[in-house]
């Protein structure tokens, strides 16, 4: 598995007309911009077959409504929810429940069962706690079913599995000052009174649909890729043989990470496949060797943290001089090529602007290589031209797939470029309209992704979240999040948040979630150790931390505003309240150390552990306080 990564074969800077490419990038961006931005997508509604709560994979089991007191309600059962449970387990907090609308653990890996689903960055980084569990992915990019099984195994190992509530939609979260608890109410009639709530919905929770005119007029079959209906297509999660599509005309809308994986299977089985593309993705070949047993056995303690740190430096920062590239794929190519160039020059001293200028040139070289890759595979010149990505490398999620481009050489596959109408023109009873021409289809698949950077209420899907004095979190965060350490805010005691909120980001989302979970679990454990009733962020703590974030924020607006619209920049929104990425100048390691130092301190400034009083404690709380003292 260990290899020496060489500089990739990219065109020389002299072959490129970079000013002309910049103009081309702007032109391609502008024709895809829509005035309504993120509002072009709609939430699934009750009369649509792809209802958010609908689960085509697991039958809903009847159960009695629960009215109970617990320590922690973890809202979510994907990686973030499991990691919250794991770190609470380490703090000795076991009276917890994961609550999720899915039928099992896994989060997005429960829902995403479309053909070809795999993680699209290195599994040895992405799957968390590999050293702690002893698990090893079977290959570099794990299949979706393997990831979901790992989630289930972790839940069982960490004593979460038997307590979880599945097929349960949270309808309201309300703080009750009289008992210092949160009332978590659900569509199953539950009233769960939790001392602490952890919002662990991750970043890919709520599927989104393009707001296409006539979407409800279509009489054929429709579903979102996260609600794949194998009964209709044939095949299964582990054996994606879509035999039932042999006589079906299929349209898939979207060409991001999901579509790139699913299209080769649809192309193989469908009578005809239409791929509706607004913006092409940047797609490299996918090296996906099986895990080498000898390599796995040779790994030393700490290997996963070392590998994640190496990946993070390559993807968001830069390699240390002489550092090898342990990942060796599309994510690390720009940093690898530039490091090799600078190494050959003896590592010249460059100021930040000079360094970024050099990096930008390598960015253009890599993107040109990817465009030439399209030409070398796709036989029809017009189709190849439409598939070429004209934008900076990180404007869209970088992808890899060996079978996507070859699919367009099949006579039963048609690429339809809808960039001229900034998306699909409209749908009819029989199909869809593009360039004024109606195309009749039997099945429409929405590969339109999830609510990632849209407004909080759309992403959470919870009507009521009320803190002290009945204040809504949606009003409290009208202009975006204001937190202490990215995990707690004032006026909402004992409520914690996971995701891309405030602070540094890590290139491995699960490392980000894990460090947040560690911090949250400490605060919960410390509250119990002190015999306090609850913990709340102070207004001064929130204001101070927000000021710290603002002072250390790297202005990425110039880059983002030049990018083609995608969920990375909330469809071209210039004022990002919920940006997926906000640069943090000191970097990830400094951020992690800051949180670690805070946990070691005696004062824990920024939060207040509120004293318990008998009126605020249930019998179980009172017994717990006596034991802890």
């Amino acid at each position: 598995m260990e290899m020496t990564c060489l500089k990739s074969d990219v065109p020389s800077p002299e072959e490129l007309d970079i000013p002309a490419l910049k103009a081309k990038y702007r032109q391609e961006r502008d024709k895809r911009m829509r005035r309504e931005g993120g509002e072009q997508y709609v939430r699934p509604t009750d009369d649509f077959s792809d209802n958010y709560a609908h689960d085509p994979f697991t039958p809903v089991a009847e159960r009695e409504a629960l009215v109970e007191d617990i320590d922690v309600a973890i809202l979510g059962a994907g990686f973030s929810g499991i990691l919250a449970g794991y770190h609470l387990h380490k703090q000795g907090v076991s009276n917890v429940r994961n609550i999720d609308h899915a039928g099992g653990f896994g989060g997005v890996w429960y829902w995403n069962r479309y053909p070809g689903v795999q993680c699209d960055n290195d599994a040895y980084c992405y799957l968390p706690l590999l050293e702690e569990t002893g698990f090893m992915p079977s290959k570099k990019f794990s299949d979706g079913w393997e990831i979901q099984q790992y989630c289930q195994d972790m839940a069982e190992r960490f004593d979460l599995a038997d307590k979880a509530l599945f097929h349960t939609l949270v309808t309201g979260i309300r703080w009750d000052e009289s008992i210092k608890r949160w009332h978590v109410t659900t569509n199953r009639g539950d009233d769960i009174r939790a001392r602490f709530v952890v919002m662990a919905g991750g970043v890919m929770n709520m599927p989104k649909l393009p707001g296409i005119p006539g979407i409800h007029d279509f009489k054929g079959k429709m579903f979102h890729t996260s609600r794949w209906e194998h009964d209709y297509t044939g095949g299964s999660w582990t054996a994606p043989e879509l035999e039932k599509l042999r006589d079906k005309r299929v349209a898939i809308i979207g060409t991001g990470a999901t579509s790139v994986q699913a299209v080769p299977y649809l192309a193989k089985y469908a009578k005809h496949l239409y791929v509706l593309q607004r913006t092409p993705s940047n797609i490299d070949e996918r090296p996906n060797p099986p895990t080498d047993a000898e390599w796995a056995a040779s790994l030393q303690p700490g290997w996963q943290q070392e590998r994640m740190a190496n990946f993070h430096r390559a993807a968001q920062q830069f390699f240390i001089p002489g550092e090898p590239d342990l990942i060796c794929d599309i994510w690390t190519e720009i940093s690898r090529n530039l490091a090799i160039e600078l190494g050959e020059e003896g590592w010249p001293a460059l100021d930040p602007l000079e360094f970024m200028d050099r990096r930008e040139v390598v960015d253009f070289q890599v993107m040109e290589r990817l465009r030439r890759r399209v030409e070398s595979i796709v036989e029809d010149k017009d189709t190849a031209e439409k598939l070429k990505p004209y934008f900076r490398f990180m404007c869209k999620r970088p992808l890899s797939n060996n079978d996507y481009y070859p699919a367009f050489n099949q006579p039963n596959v048609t690429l339809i470029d809808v960039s001229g109408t900034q998306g699909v023109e409209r749908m009819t009873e029989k199909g869809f309209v593009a360039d004024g021409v109606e195309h009749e289809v039997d099945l429409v698949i929405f590969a339109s992704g999830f609510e990632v950077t849209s407004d909080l209420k759309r992403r959470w899907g919870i009507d009521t979240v009320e803190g002290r004095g009945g204040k809504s979190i949606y009003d409290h965060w009208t202009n975006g999040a204001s937190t202490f350490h990215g995990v707690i805010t004032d006026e909402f005691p004992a409520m914690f948040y996971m995701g891309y909120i405030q602070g540094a980001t890590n290139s491995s989302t699960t490392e980000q979630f894990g460090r947040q979970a560690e911090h949250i679990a400490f605060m919960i454990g410390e509250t119990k150790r002190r015999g306090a009733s609850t913990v709340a962020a102070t207004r001064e703590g929130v204001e101070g931390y927000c000021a710290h974030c603002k002072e250390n924020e790297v202005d990425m607006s110039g880059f983002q505003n030049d990018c083609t619209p995608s969920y990375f920049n909330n469809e071209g929104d210039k004022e990002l309240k919920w940006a997926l990425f906000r640069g943090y100048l000191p970097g990830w390691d400094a951020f992690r150390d800051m949180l670690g130092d805070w946990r070691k301190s005696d004062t824990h400034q920024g939060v207040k552990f509120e004293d318990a009083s008998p009126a605020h404690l249930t019998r179980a709380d009172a017994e717990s306080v006596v034991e802890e003292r």
Side-chain angles (χ1 to χ4, degrees):
M1 295 293 296
E2 294 294 355
M3 63 187 82
T4 301
C5 269
L6 303 176
K7 182 180 177 183
S8 61
D9 186 14
V10 294
S12 67
E14 291 73 29
E15 293 179 58
L16 306 178
D17 185 342
I18 289 178
L21 282 170
K22 287 183 176 181
K24 175 72 171 174
Y25 285 10
R26 284 193 295 273
Q27 176 190 3
E28 294 294 320
R29 170 195 178 275
D30 290 347
K31 78 176 183 180
R32 290 170 171 85
M33 289 294 294
R34 291 178 57 150
R35 188 172 58 252
E36 64 270 47
E39 296 303 311
Q40 66 192 268
Y41 295 98
V42 296
R43 279 267 302 277
T45 54
D46 290 337
D47 62 337
F48 190 68
S49 62
D50 177 277
N51 185 274
Y52 168 63
H54 171 58
D55 184 352
F57 313 125
T58 307
V60 178
E62 293 300 318
R63 65 170 177 83
E64 295 294 319
L66 295 176
V67 179
E68 63 176 7
D69 296 286
I70 65 172
D71 275 341
V72 189
I74 303 172
L75 308 191
F79 272 133
S80 52
I82 294 166
L83 289 166
Y86 164 75
H87 283 283
L88 286 165
H89 184 83
K90 286 184 69 176
Q91 289 282 334
V93 181
S94 59
N95 185 13
V96 307
R97 282 195 188 277
N98 291 85
I99 305 172
D100 202 298
H101 68 288
F105 285 96
V108 72
W109 297 109
Y110 175 88
W111 291 114
N112 275 351
R113 304 189 184 201
Y114 58 82
V117 58
Q118 296 177 336
C119 59
D120 58 11
N121 58 302
D122 186 81
Y124 311 113
C125 292
Y126 177 69
L127 271 62
L129 305 178
L130 293 181
E131 290 189 71
E132 292 80 354
T133 63
F135 179 77
M136 182 59 69
S138 63
K139 51 191 173 184
K140 179 174 169 66
F141 299 100
S142 286
D143 293 319
W145 62 266
E146 180 178 73
I147 300 173
Q148 194 276 331
Q149 184 60 59
Y150 181 55
C151 289
Q152 179 66 35
D153 291 346
M154 283 196 296
E156 292 173 3
R157 178 187 289 259
F158 305 136
D159 196 27
L160 303 172
D162 293 340
K163 304 169 187 174
L165 298 180
F166 291 120
H167 287 142
T168 300
L169 271 169
V170 172
T171 55
I173 312 172
R174 297 174 178 84
W175 176 253
D176 187 334
E177 192 68 41
S178 68
I179 58 172
K180 300 279 186 175
R181 285 177 176 265
W182 290 98
H183 287 276
V184 180
T185 54
T186 77
N187 67 334
R188 306 293 290 268
D190 306 309
D191 181 9
I192 297 168
R193 298 183 293 262
R195 281 185 73 185
F196 308 92
V197 168
V198 180
M199 305 298 289
V203 293
M204 293 188 177
N205 168 50
M206 180 70 72
K208 67 183 181 184
L209 301 170
I212 303 169
I215 192 171
H216 295 289
D217 296 335
F218 181 58
K219 301 297 185 186
K221 185 70 176 175
M222 294 188 289
F223 55 73
H224 190 276
T225 48
S226 67
R227 303 296 188 274
W228 195 278
E229 298 195 26
H230 291 102
D231 287 348
Y232 184 87
T233 65
S236 68
W237 195 11
T238 55
E241 297 156 1
L242 314 181
E243 293 288 352
K244 292 184 179 179
L245 296 183
R246 292 288 188 192
D247 63 343
K248 300 291 193 295
R249 300 157 300 177
V250 180
I252 185 166
I253 298 175
T255 52
T258 296
S259 184
V260 164
Q261 294 182 115
V263 158
Y265 292 87
L266 293 169
K268 180 178 179 180
Y269 290 99
K271 179 181 178 181
H272 199 92
L273 174 65
Y274 296 97
V275 180
L276 279 63
Q277 170 190 280
R278 181 184 66 170
T279 308
S281 289
N282 39 339
I283 309 164
D284 200 6
E285 63 182 340
R286 169 161 289 203
N288 199 11
T291 299
D292 181 87
E294 188 175 329
W295 169 78
S298 73
L299 295 169
Q300 299 299 307
W303 73 266
Q304 191 181 28
Q305 282 293 319
E306 178 187 345
R307 190 178 183 94
M308 286 191 292
N310 178 264
F311 173 52
H312 176 71
R313 282 191 288 271
Q316 283 197 41
Q317 297 172 190
F318 193 60
F319 286 123
I320 298 167
E323 178 181 14
D325 181 355
L326 300 179
I327 309 302
C328 231
D329 61 25
I330 185 174
W331 289 92
T332 60
E333 180 181 4
I334 289 176
S335 288
R336 177 173 71 251
N337 284 6
L338 183 52
I340 290 171
E341 285 182 13
L342 295 178
E344 291 169 347
E345 297 169 18
W347 291 97
L350 300 176
D351 66 38
L353 285 178
E354 289 173 326
F355 176 82
M356 293 310 296
D357 286 343
R358 290 287 297 269
R359 188 180 180 93
E360 182 182 48
V361 171
V362 180
D363 189 312
F364 278 101
Q365 290 176 289
V366 169
M367 291 302 294
E368 181 63 22
R369 179 185 73 78
L370 293 172
R371 288 189 288 271
R372 293 182 184 184
R373 179 172 182 264
V374 180
E375 287 181 348
S376 71
I377 297 172
V378 179
E379 295 163 2
D380 180 76
K381 298 303 181 188
D382 182 58
T383 302
E385 192 60 37
K386 290 174 181 175
L387 287 166
K388 290 180 183 178
Y390 283 98
F391 46 78
R392 292 281 298 278
F393 181 78
M394 278 302 294
C395 283
K396 284 175 68 73
R397 187 174 182 82
L399 305 175
S400 57
N401 192 283
N402 297 331
D403 303 313
Y404 181 73
Y405 290 141
F408 292 95
N409 293 331
Q410 298 178 205
N412 68 321
V413 177
T414 303
L415 177 69
I416 295 187
D417 179 12
V418 296
S419 61
T421 48
Q422 294 105 28
V424 181
E425 197 172 323
R426 61 188 172 92
M427 290 177 65
T428 66
E429 288 188 10
K430 295 180 179 181
F432 65 91
V433 175
D435 290 326
V437 177
E438 183 180 32
H439 301 267
E440 294 186 11
V441 292
D442 304 290
L443 167 64
V444 175
I445 300 171
F446 296 102
S448 43
F450 296 84
E451 304 280 4
V452 176
T453 51
S454 49
D455 278 350
L456 195 61
K457 194 167 188 177
R458 282 180 67 144
R459 284 183 281 130
W460 282 1
I462 302 171
D463 289 336
T464 305
V465 182
E466 292 179 350
R468 280 184 163 148
K471 183 162 191 175
S472 169
I473 191 71
Y474 305 123
D475 293 334
H476 188 56
W477 283 354
T478 300
N479 297 313
S482 57
T483 69
F484 180 71
H485 286 176
V487 299
I488 190 170
T489 190
D490 57 313
E491 300 191 56
F492 292 79
M495 175 177 276
F496 299 94
Y497 313 98
M498 297 179 70
Y500 293 93
I501 306 292
Q502 273 186 314
T505 60
N506 190 274
S507 300
S508 291
T509 55
T510 50
E511 171 67 357
Q512 169 115 6
F513 296 157
R515 296 301 179 181
Q516 289 173 328
E518 178 183 39
H519 205 54
I520 290 166
F522 174 85
M523 288 189 188
I524 291 173
E526 185 67 10
T527 307
K528 291 175 68 66
R529 285 188 288 273
R530 289 172 179 242
S533 63
T534 194
V535 60
T538 65
R539 170 91 308 240
E540 296 76 19
V542 170
E543 288 175 347
Y545 180 71
C546 288
H548 170 80
C549 288
K550 189 170 183 179
E551 288 166 9
N552 287 283
E553 184 171 344
V554 178
D555 184 5
M556 298 172 66
S557 60
F559 174 80
Q560 290 177 328
N561 291 339
D562 284 342
C563 279
T564 190
S566 74
Y567 74 84
F568 272 26
N569 60 4
N570 197 19
E571 303 302 327
D573 190 347
K574 288 191 181 339
E575 301 294 331
L576 288 173
K577 289 192 300 183
W578 297 101
L580 186 60
F581 306 115
R582 290 190 189 279
Y584 181 75
L585 189 60
W588 171 258
D589 291 346
F591 179 74
R592 185 191 60 200
D593 292 345
M594 179 180 72
L595 269 55
D597 291 343
W598 183 90
R599 292 194 297 273
K600 293 173 189 171
S601 74
D602 295 325
T603 58
H604 301 309
Q605 287 187 341
V607 302
K608 180 181 180 184
F609 296 95
E610 299 180 3
D611 289 338
S613 67
H616 291 150
L617 296 179
T618 66
R619 178 178 296 175
D621 291 333
E623 290 171 353
S624 174
V625 169
V626 169
E627 287 176 9
E628 287 159 5
R629 286 177 171 170

